[in-house]
């Protein structure tokens, strides 16, 4: 029997789950409070410069997941793109993630890979056995000089606190390499959608069983009309923040234009604490095949998220996790709803993980329709 399902949010989570249910013959309504689809991956062609702009910050697709890679390629052509990030620190430009070039340039040396490994080991704080904090992880693996040049100031700007208060897992996202590989990611597949992410999501949503309604905010009071709801909005928002707000960092993007090539790369980080922004992104370099002359750039500033801001990065410190556990208890009493995506589960999720989880969630729901079991409120472990 065809059921009527609501996707709250037209980002990747809502679109991918909605598509799977629509293909299985169910009726899907996708709503979004914003005036566009694609959520935070939204891309828009700028009228003045013709540059494809990543409206909510730079998005580079990278994955090892074969199914996810073939899924996105089914809807959009992905062109080769390697994220080669640079950072400006103390008046010089270096290559990131830390690699042999960074080490040799920073210390004025000509070390070979094994020598560089031994050299960095000599800089490391070996008294730290099992690094727990971001700072300990940095001091243990790259030493104080590189930590202070590249990570300390940037991280204080990004997270608004000392790296000694953040978990080591945040820094573990970045590799340290003893060769000249300056690819920011290490995944097998990387690329950029030829016509932007919004074009891809538009094709995912293009199905006879899917209706999309923009500029539509829904909440708990709208549940009754649907057999099941997949909610990719903020979990605390679903409960009208009755237990308080989960902490996020928000971003301010300060746009400026330039006639030509401003910085020669897509992403330039700024490690110094006295530069107020964390990075500058030059959007035309995300689509190098388009060869645009004019340029659109974003200076990116991070700050605490208030009620009227867009939540970007979940903070997930001890206090937030305690509050999250309380919201999970409330959520588990709800019926006919599954909390999904980066806001619904209050986790930082890359796009490929978002799609993987959305595909798995849709599969679980479709299987449950066959077996008559209860659909879980969370299809993954959230805490
Ligand atoms: P979202 O994209 O946030 O979509 C949720 C949607 O729900 C929103 O459009 C919102 O308007 C809507 N909504 C919320 N509440 C309601 C409501 N009550 N009613 C109606 N609509 C509602 N990933 C990568 O793989 N590579 C990258 O380079 C990368 N860069 C990133 C850079 C930044 C700055 C950030 C913050 C994230 C980045 N990501 C990146 C992660 C990527 O943005 C997420 O994986 C993806 O956006 C998650 O999709 P989603 O559908 O879960 O959430
Ligand atoms: N980071 C840093 N300096 C840099 C880049 C990253 O200190 O030049 C830190 C920062 O705390 C960031 C973390 O490393 O949150 C992980 O980096 P990543 O590039 O994954 O950050 P994100 O994509 O989450 O912004």
């Amino acid at each position: 029997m065809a059921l009527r399902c609501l996707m709250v949010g037209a980002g990747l989570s809502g679109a991918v789950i909605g598509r799977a249910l629509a293909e299985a013959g169910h009726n899907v309504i996708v709503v979004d409070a914003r005036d566009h689809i694609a959520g935070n991956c939204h891309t828009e062609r700028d009228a003045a410069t013709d540059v494809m702009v990543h409206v909510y910050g730079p998005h580079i697709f990278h994955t090892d997941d074969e199914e996810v890679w073939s899924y996105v390629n089914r809807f959009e052509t992905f062109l080769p793109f390697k994220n080669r990030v640079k950072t400006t620190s103390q008046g010089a430009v270096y290559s990131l993630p830390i690699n042999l070039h960074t080490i040799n340039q920073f210390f004025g040396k000509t070390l070979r890979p094994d020598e560089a490994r031994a050299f960095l080991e000599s800089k490391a704080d070996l008294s730290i056995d099992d690094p727990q904090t971001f700072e300990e992880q940095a001091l243990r693996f790259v030493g104080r000089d590189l930590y202070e040049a590249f990570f300390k100031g940037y991280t204080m700007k990004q997270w608004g606190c000392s790296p000694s208060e953040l978990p080591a897992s945040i820094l573990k996202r970045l590799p340290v390499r003893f060769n000249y590989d300056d690819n920011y990611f290490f995944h097998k597949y990387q690329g950029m959608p030829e016509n932007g992410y919004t074009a891809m999501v538009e094709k995912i949503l293009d199905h006879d069983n899917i209706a999309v309604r923009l500029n539509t905010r829904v909440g708990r009071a709208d549940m009754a009309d649907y057999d099941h709801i997949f909610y990719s909005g903020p979990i605390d928002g679903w409960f009208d923040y009755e237990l308080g707000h989960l902490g996020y960092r928000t971003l301010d993007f300060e746009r400026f234009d330039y006639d030509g090539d401003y910085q020669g790369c897509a992403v330039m980080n700024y490690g110094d604490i006295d530069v107020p922004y964390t990075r500058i992104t030059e959007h035309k370099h995300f689509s190098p095949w388009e060869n645009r002359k004019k340029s659109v750039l974003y200076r990116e500033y991070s700050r605490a998220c208030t009620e009227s801001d867009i939540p970007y990065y979940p903070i997930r410190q001890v206090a937030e996790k305690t509050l999250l556990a309380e919201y999970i208890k409330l959520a588990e009493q709800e019926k006919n709803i599954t909390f999904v995506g980066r806001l619904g589960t209050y986790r930082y999720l890359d796009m490929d993980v978002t799609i993987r989880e959305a595909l798995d969630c849709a599969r679980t729901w479709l299987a449950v329709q066959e077996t008559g079991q209860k659909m879980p409120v969370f299809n993954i472990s959230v805490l």
Side-chain angles (χ1 to χ4, degrees):
M1 187 182 70
L3 297 179
R4 194 172 140 80
C5 298
L6 177 70
M7 308 294 133
V8 183
L12 286 173
S13 297
V16 171
I17 298 171
R19 176 76 187 207
L21 271 50
E23 285 179 353
H26 299 286
N27 296 314
V28 174
I29 292 102
V30 182
V31 298
D32 204 296
R34 292 172 171 167
D35 63 1
H36 61 75
I37 58 167
N40 270 19
C41 310
H42 175 52
T43 44
E44 204 169 81
R45 196 165 289 286
D46 178 58
T49 58
D50 215 28
V51 167
M52 187 63 83
V53 173
H54 292 209
V55 177
Y56 300 96
H59 278 73
I60 298 104
F61 200 90
H62 51 97
T63 191
D64 282 331
D65 190 322
E66 304 275 346
E67 189 191 0
V68 167
W69 183 239
S70 70
Y71 185 87
V72 293
N73 278 277
R74 177 181 152 201
F75 295 102
E76 179 62 26
T77 303
F78 274 70
L79 295 177
F81 181 87
K82 294 269 185 291
N83 198 24
R84 300 192 196 283
V85 176
K86 302 285 176 275
T87 184
T88 299
S89 171
Q90 299 158 13
V93 175
Y94 301 92
S95 163
L96 280 186
I98 291 179
N99 62 65
L100 193 48
H101 198 181
T102 326
I103 297 166
N104 277 333
Q105 189 192 357
F106 187 82
F107 292 104
K109 297 199 174 286
T110 55
L111 301 170
R112 289 183 291 105
D114 286 350
E115 293 168 340
R117 194 182 290 273
F119 177 74
L120 222 54
E121 195 73 1
S122 77
K123 297 268 173 198
D125 182 344
L126 299 177
S127 71
I128 302 169
D129 255 358
D130 180 18
Q132 295 299 313
T133 67
F134 185 113
E135 182 169 81
E136 286 173 358
Q137 175 77 11
L139 294 176
R140 171 62 187 85
F141 289 100
V142 300
R144 185 164 294 280
D145 299 334
L146 292 172
Y147 164 57
E148 291 193 344
F150 300 135
F151 299 124
K152 192 175 178 186
Y154 186 101
T155 296
M156 286 171 77
K157 291 187 283 185
Q158 172 78 2
W159 293 100
C161 63
S162 161
S164 60
E165 296 166 56
L166 294 167
S169 56
I170 296 184
L171 184 57
K172 285 184 190 162
R173 298 214 286 258
L174 300 184
V176 176
R177 299 208 184 98
F178 297 100
N179 57 29
Y180 289 101
D181 180 0
D182 63 350
N183 187 349
Y184 203 68
F185 303 115
F186 35 79
H187 291 106
K188 185 168 170 192
Y189 303 111
Q190 287 182 55
M192 270 300 166
E194 184 172 15
N195 301 298
Y197 292 99
T198 300
M200 176 178 85
V201 175
E202 200 176 327
K203 289 179 208 154
I204 297 174
L205 289 170
D206 181 17
H207 190 283
D208 286 349
N209 292 346
I210 299 181
V212 179
R213 294 183 197 145
L214 297 178
N215 303 303
T216 307
R217 177 173 294 281
V218 297
R220 232 167 149 206
D222 309 292
M223 275 183 86
D225 294 344
Y226 302 94
D227 294 306
H228 200 85
I229 297 184
F230 294 86
Y231 177 77
S232 69
I235 180 169
D236 48 355
W238 182 256
F239 297 102
D240 228 358
Y241 306 102
E242 65 176 75
L243 305 175
H245 281 75
L246 287 165
Y248 279 94
R249 300 292 287 172
T250 192
L251 300 174
D252 294 320
F253 298 109
E254 181 183 53
R255 176 183 164 149
F256 63 104
D257 290 18
Y258 186 77
D259 193 2
D261 189 356
Y262 181 80
Q263 62 183 19
C265 63
V267 181
M268 175 68 76
N269 289 355
Y270 286 84
D272 299 331
I273 190 78
D274 49 359
V275 175
Y277 39 88
T278 51
R279 58 185 176 180
I280 296 181
T281 47
E282 185 159 20
H283 293 258
K284 69 178 180 179
H285 293 307
F286 290 123
S287 314
W289 59 91
E290 293 189 339
N291 279 317
R292 294 289 179 263
K293 181 170 179 297
K294 293 194 171 155
S295 207
V296 178
L297 297 105
Y298 277 3
R299 283 189 198 95
E300 191 171 318
Y301 301 81
S302 170
R303 64 178 169 81
C305 186
T306 69
E307 223 170 304
S308 53
D309 295 315
I310 300 174
Y312 281 93
Y313 294 98
I315 293 177
R316 277 194 162 253
Q317 305 268 61
V318 176
E320 285 81 14
K321 281 193 164 178
T322 307
L323 183 56
L324 176 62
E326 296 299 311
Y327 274 117
I328 290 173
K329 275 193 214 147
L330 281 187
E332 277 166 352
Q333 289 159 30
E334 298 285 280
K335 288 201 179 60
N336 302 330
I337 182 167
T338 304
F339 292 81
V340 296
R342 63 179 202 97
L343 300 169
T345 65
Y346 189 60
R347 289 172 307 149
Y348 179 85
L349 296 180
D350 275 326
M351 290 181 281
D352 62 326
V353 180
T354 305
I355 294 172
R356 157 59 47 213
E357 292 190 358
L359 290 169
D360 290 346
C361 182
R363 268 179 204 138
T364 306
W365 188 82
L366 290 168
V368 158
Q369 303 319 303
E370 301 293 316
T371 60
Q373 284 169 318
K374 188 178 175 293
M375 177 68 192
V377 173
F378 300 97
N379 197 48
I380 28 84
S381 160
V382 175
L383 259 182

